[in-house]
Amino acid sequence: MQGEKISPHLQDFPAIDWSDIAPRVSPSVRSSLERILETQNGADLSLDESYALANAEGDDLLGLLVAANTLRAELAGNIVTYVVNRNINFTNICFVGCKFCAFSRGPREADTYFLTMEQMAEKTIEAWNLGATEVCIQGGLPRNLPKFHYRDILRVVKNAVPKMHIHAFSPMEIVYGLELTGMPLHDYLSMLRDNGLGTLPGTAAEILDDEIRQILSANKLSTAQWIEVIRAAHRCGIRTTSTLMYGHAESPAHWVRQMRLLRDIQSETGGFTEFVPLGFVHQNTILFHQGLARTGPTVAEHLKVHALARVLLAGSINNIQVSWVKLNRELSQLCLHAGANDYGGTLMEENISREAGSTAGQYTSPEDFQALIMETGRIPAERNTTYTRIHIKVPLDELTAEHSIEAEFA
């Protein structure tokens, strides 16, 4: 998408009502979308119908975007949430060698770093003093990491700020922790939970198809391992996010299969808090420079993936997040009109997308989020990590009558 301008065809879709676009949508796609608008349940679509939506173009794509926005209003209301958090990437040393990652370094490179426990405590205290309610802790995988390093990070952070929610350690890091300790998965996750782990990022998913995973990172955990860790976390009472990385070597069929897989897990465990589409940032990655990936998602793909998620996950995972670090300001706002209802976190110290070539910045303040959200005609609200507490962040006298009515049902 680098440098791609948003065409008027796509830029203006938020002003279109379903009744206006429906007559122009092909009969089969229209039938699928109208069924979901009626039932609010993405499980009602067959695999072939889902594939057709994932490949929608022209007026069919506009229909998908408008239907997703309509569905969002009904399922998530007019509120757009965000969380005040800080990223703590505790090291960039990693032996895994993911080709889509420009953040990791070999142990002997000049710009490696490894935060001490004291530094992580300081960053946590600083984040709390700036209003953060969450720290998101992930890092590279260095060889010979101390056996209980992940547990010890949790202890230090909790000791520094007992009320801070810790959202930490991807399924890849959990698998590495199992290798280090030799503990059974359930016991290891229970130990982390008992030492302060609040929720687990559902990252390291990328595309949950082992053929694609071999292209992206031959050394990474398998699809089966990712699913095993996520299900076990949910059984331990540890909720997780769910993710998909798009715009590289995958096809729309992969998007559909992954979303349907996430639906299946959710129906079994109920443990997902949200779904986060992650656009591939290509500029500084080996994957792109070796000719194994396209130049990131197009504008149409960004919008389509968010809309498809809203439709296919309807009634299952009803929080769809915009990853603002992957997008520019205008496109992130358009994705809010394409089915998304959450802006993610302020981050304070985002490194991974920035290293890959993203220019969206490392931090968006709560005030910036509030302005971005209000520009779209929606109501900004700060949330906690699990969406169980939401505080509207706009003076009541600034809400229009329309805003106020819709807010009651959000």
Side-chain angles (χ1 to χ4, degrees):
M1 175 205 122
Q2 190 69 10
E4 182 186 354
K5 291 186 177 180
I6 303 175
S7 68
H9 178 69
L10 292 174
Q11 195 167 29
D12 298 338
F13 83 84
I16 303 174
D17 289 323
W18 172 249
S19 59
D20 295 326
I21 190 64
R24 292 155 45 193
V25 176
S26 64
S28 59
V29 168
R30 177 176 177 175
S31 173
S32 297
L33 293 174
E34 287 182 335
R35 192 179 330 135
I36 301 305
L37 288 172
E38 181 179 347
T39 67
Q40 299 183 349
N41 187 353
D44 289 342
L45 293 181
S46 70
L47 184 60
D48 285 343
E49 287 174 316
S50 302
Y51 285 156
L53 292 181
N55 287 289
E57 295 180 353
D59 285 341
D60 284 355
L61 174 57
L62 286 181
L64 171 63
L65 300 179
V66 173
N69 196 34
T70 304
L71 199 56
R72 181 273 311 157
E74 294 170 351
L75 292 173
N78 208 29
I79 288 174
V80 176
T81 50
Y82 61 89
V83 64
V84 181
N85 67 351
R86 178 176 201 157
N87 262 17
I88 302 178
N89 301 127
F90 59 90
T91 183
N92 61 353
I93 302 169
C94 190
F95 63 75
V96 180
C98 299
K99 291 186 174 183
F100 60 86
C101 178
F103 168 73
S104 67
R105 300 291 187 272
R108 286 178 290 278
E109 292 187 54
D111 57 346
T112 62
Y113 73 89
F114 198 113
L115 298 181
T116 65
M117 292 293 182
E118 292 74 17
Q119 287 172 315
M120 282 187 274
E122 288 169 6
K123 286 178 179 288
T124 302
I125 292 167
E126 183 181 46
W128 182 260
N129 290 336
L130 290 169
T133 59
E134 169 196 302
V135 285
C136 180
I137 305 174
Q138 298 180 90
L141 276 65
R143 294 195 186 279
N144 303 314
L145 197 67
K147 193 173 178 180
F148 289 100
H149 192 70
Y150 296 135
R151 179 203 64 187
D152 293 345
I153 288 174
L154 296 171
R155 288 179 173 178
V156 165
V157 169
K158 270 296 175 185
N159 186 58
V161 183
K163 292 184 178 180
M164 184 70 83
H165 181 98
I166 305 177
H167 180 63
F169 311 137
S170 73
M172 184 74 214
E173 288 168 291
I174 298 301
V175 168
Y176 187 36
L178 299 180
E179 293 174 7
L180 292 169
T181 62
M183 294 176 68
L185 176 58
H186 181 274
D187 293 351
Y188 185 72
L189 286 167
S190 297
M191 176 187 70
L192 296 182
R193 178 199 63 208
D194 294 345
N195 280 276
L197 180 65
T199 50
L200 196 79
T203 48
E206 287 84 51
I207 292 294
L208 294 171
D209 177 290
D210 285 333
E211 286 188 18
I212 299 295
R213 296 181 78 74
Q214 279 294 309
I215 298 170
L216 301 180
S217 179
N219 299 323
K220 207 157 193 180
L221 80 172
S222 66
T223 297
Q225 286 176 303
W226 189 91
I227 294 169
E228 182 185 18
V229 170
I230 291 294
R231 281 183 168 147
H234 293 177
R235 286 195 296 269
C236 288
I238 303 167
R239 301 193 72 189
T240 76
T241 60
S242 58
T243 64
L244 175 150
M245 186 175 76
Y246 61 98
H248 45 90
E250 90 294 355
S251 70
H254 290 107
W255 308 338
V256 168
R257 290 197 289 270
Q258 187 144 328
M259 291 176 193
R260 289 168 67 95
L261 169 63
L262 297 175
R263 268 201 83 99
D264 290 344
I265 295 172
Q266 185 75 332
S267 66
E268 175 191 323
T269 69
F272 289 128
T273 54
E274 68 225 89
F275 175 72
V276 191
L278 301 168
F280 171 57
V281 181
H282 73 283
Q283 286 92 325
N284 299 332
T285 66
I286 294 173
L287 192 70
F288 172 68
H289 289 292
Q290 287 185 344
L292 299 173
R294 55 193 187 273
T295 55
T298 63
V299 167
E301 285 176 322
H302 281 300
L303 296 172
K304 186 187 292 185
V305 169
H306 288 80
L308 188 69
R310 173 57 70 189
V311 170
L312 296 191
L313 297 176
S316 175
I317 305 172
N318 287 329
N319 293 311
I320 309 298
Q321 185 179 118
V322 172
S323 180
W324 62 265
V325 297
K326 313 285 187 184
L327 308 168
N328 62 36
R329 181 187 182 96
E330 185 180 14
L331 187 51
S332 72
Q333 290 176 310
L334 268 185
C335 286
L336 292 177
H337 289 297
N341 67 300
D342 185 76
Y343 238 137
T346 56
L347 297 181
M348 293 188 192
E349 199 174 352
E350 199 288 322
N351 293 305
I352 294 173
S353 295
R354 177 179 58 83
E355 292 275 7
S358 173
T359 57
Q362 290 181 273
Y363 174 59
T364 294
S365 71
E367 293 75 21
D368 290 337
F369 273 141
Q370 291 160 24
L372 283 164
I373 292 163
M374 291 193 71
E375 283 174 13
T376 68
R378 309 266 279 282
I379 302 167
E382 183 182 325
R383 63 170 172 86
N384 64 352
T385 304
T386 55
Y387 294 79
T388 55
R389 290 197 305 275
I390 292 175
H391 301 290
I392 290 176
K393 289 291 183 178
V394 59
L396 290 177
D397 57 5
E398 290 187 30
L399 293 178
T400 64
E402 180 184 4
H403 277 144
S404 301
I405 292 169
E406 294 193 33
E408 292 176 11
F409 298 97

